[in-house]
Amino acid sequence: MIYRAIGIMSGSSLDGLDIAYVILEETGGKWSFEIAAAACYPYSNDWHQKLSNATQLSALDYQLLHTSYGNYIGQKINEFIDANELHHKVHLIASHGHTTFHLPAKKTTAQLGDGAAIAAVTKLPVVNELRALDVAFGGQGAPIVPIGQKLLFNEYDCFLNIGGIANISFKDDGKYIGYDICPANRILNMLVKEKKLEYDDGGTMAAKGNIDRELLETLNGLDYYKKAYPKSLANSYGTDIIYPLIKNAALSTENALRTYVEHIAFQLGEVFNHSKFKTPDSKLLVTGGGAFNTFLIDRLKMILPDMEIIVPDKKIIEYKEALVMALIGVLRWREEVNVLSSVTGAQENSIGGALWLGNTD
């Protein structure tokens, strides 16, 4: 069976809205994929501010933003369809939305981007609210990408996504385990904004800095890193806890970047060096915007000399999560499991997602 789906992802780094048109084929339980078209629509300063400040809004203003952002997503999808001549070729849309509140201990998670609005604007079936059912079942609601790793990237032993938040997943006795490690690009991008830059290209600024050992020790001593999985991070952990710690250290931008890169690398090393899945021939697939940070990747290779660290082609790096959102939407359409309880700690696997048909003609 062949499915032609659009996957939508807005990560915590707030670099833009990722849209991928994916052709998924299932034959005898085996899945294959092609990312036939993809684009990232950068956020305007206005949208960046709206999404950044969403958690400070009143209930009414938050709901209005939820609807407005859904319309925005729908409009961008229509632009994408026009640009790539995809009219009458898309079976469904799967939208992750933009995470704002994430409180799994209270069985609550929220992603902006009203699915009804997206369906109304595009006139296409839409699946959204992808994390909600897992959280209702007592899970972390994150990471949800491992279902894609299981079905689409099974040749790798472990996976590292370095986005706004760095997270991992790996196979353990036939089950997939995964969790958030630490805030990553969101913090690095906040630091370089002091230089009026969007990101530290290749980690070149960080490479020029020096490590502040006192700050590094403080960061590595945070309570989250002592918790056992399953566990997940809200965006606010980086913006409200980690970023102020860095700013209070009063470092130059270069030294702050260098110290935080070392913190990310240290936490990744702690995870992989103390995980039983790690063997000399383990293959680690690295995706997300952080895969372009060659300085961070070089630090990771030094910390993990026995692992084969694979950085795939640019399209997979940038759009793997949008690809997996498309898969999650297709699995929801097929009424098949799309979130793994072995990863999230939920009571059971789930078939998550709200479905909006859009057009009944």
Side-chain angles (χ1 to χ4, degrees):
M1 191 71 181
I2 295 176
Y3 301 89
R4 302 176 188 276
I6 285 178
I8 311 291
M9 185 70 196
S10 175
S12 57
S13 58
L14 283 170
D15 53 352
L17 187 69
D18 290 340
I19 304 180
Y21 172 63
V22 180
I23 301 171
L24 293 156
E25 183 172 2
E26 184 271 332
T27 305
K30 302 289 186 181
W31 288 84
S32 61
F33 72 91
E34 176 192 355
I35 300 177
C40 178
Y41 292 85
Y43 289 126
S44 65
N45 289 336
D46 183 48
W47 271 111
H48 194 284
Q49 286 298 114
K50 287 178 179 178
L51 296 176
S52 295
N53 299 328
T55 57
Q56 309 303 316
L57 298 176
S58 68
L60 175 58
D61 287 341
Y62 181 90
Q63 191 60 37
L64 290 171
L65 179 60
H66 181 56
T67 304
S68 176
Y69 185 56
N71 278 281
Y72 169 84
I73 292 174
Q75 291 161 11
K76 290 302 177 185
I77 292 170
N78 284 343
E79 287 181 29
F80 179 80
I81 288 173
D82 287 342
N84 293 281
E85 299 181 350
L86 297 176
H87 297 282
H88 311 298
K89 295 179 181 179
V90 180
H91 294 147
L92 64 87
I93 295 163
S95 177
H96 175 274
H98 187 81
T99 298
T100 50
F101 299 101
H102 184 66
L103 302 165
K106 297 185 177 181
K107 296 191 175 181
T108 296
T109 187
Q111 284 76 42
L112 286 169
D114 181 20
I118 300 171
V121 172
T122 63
K123 302 295 192 294
L124 289 166
V126 173
V127 178
N128 75 328
E129 302 288 351
L130 306 180
R131 300 180 187 271
L133 185 56
D134 181 81
V135 171
F137 276 136
Q140 291 288 312
I144 58 174
V145 171
I147 187 67
Q149 294 160 353
K150 176 181 179 180
L151 298 180
L152 303 179
F153 297 94
N154 197 43
E155 68 270 29
Y156 299 99
D157 303 288
C158 37
F159 308 86
L160 169 63
N161 183 73
I162 310 175
I165 294 171
N167 57 64
I168 65 161
S169 65
F170 52 88
K171 290 181 279 190
D172 183 12
D173 295 331
K175 294 182 179 180
Y176 274 78
I177 306 297
Y179 54 94
D180 290 340
I181 300 175
C182 64
N185 293 346
R186 182 69 181 275
I187 301 299
L188 297 175
N189 293 350
M190 289 174 74
L191 291 171
V192 296
K193 280 192 179 298
E194 300 165 358
K195 299 287 189 180
K196 301 189 185 309
L197 298 172
E198 293 299 317
Y199 57 91
D200 182 11
D201 190 9
T204 53
M205 288 180 65
K208 296 174 183 176
N210 297 310
I211 298 170
D212 185 287
R213 294 293 172 183
E214 183 177 351
L215 174 59
L216 181 62
E217 185 176 343
T218 299
L219 293 171
N220 287 333
L222 291 171
D223 288 341
Y224 177 79
Y225 304 123
K226 301 170 188 174
K227 294 181 180 178
Y229 64 80
K231 59 182 180 177
S232 61
L233 285 168
N235 294 336
S236 58
Y237 189 83
T239 57
D240 298 349
I241 296 176
I242 286 185
Y243 185 69
L245 286 174
I246 299 172
K247 294 307 296 177
N248 288 341
L251 306 178
S252 68
T253 302
E254 290 80 3
N255 289 352
L257 288 166
R258 178 67 184 91
T259 303
Y260 200 71
V261 164
E262 195 65 20
H263 171 63
I264 297 171
F266 178 84
Q267 291 304 324
L268 295 175
E270 286 290 285
V271 169
F272 288 111
N273 282 322
H274 294 92
S275 298
K276 64 182 180 180
F277 73 84
K278 179 177 175 284
T279 62
D281 59 350
S282 292
K283 293 195 292 184
L284 170 64
L285 183 69
V286 183
T287 57
F292 295 117
N293 189 324
T294 52
F295 180 63
L296 174 57
I297 298 301
D298 287 345
R299 288 295 302 127
L300 189 58
K301 288 178 178 179
M302 291 184 68
I303 290 171
L304 302 170
D306 296 331
M307 293 189 73
E308 183 181 356
I309 297 175
I310 300 165
V311 177
D313 67 63
K314 187 173 184 286
K315 193 176 284 188
I316 298 296
I317 291 174
E318 292 183 327
Y319 297 106
K320 188 188 80 169
E321 291 208 334
L323 159 67
V324 176
M325 296 309 130
L327 172 67
I328 288 173
V330 167
L331 292 172
R332 168 64 180 86
W333 185 266
R334 287 165 59 104
E335 299 185 358
E336 295 178 2
V337 167
N338 59 7
V339 180
L340 302 172
S341 60
S342 64
V343 174
T344 66
Q347 299 167 11
E348 57 188 84
N349 292 336
S350 58
I351 305 171
L355 175 62
W356 310 85
L357 288 178
N359 193 346
T360 58
D361 294 342

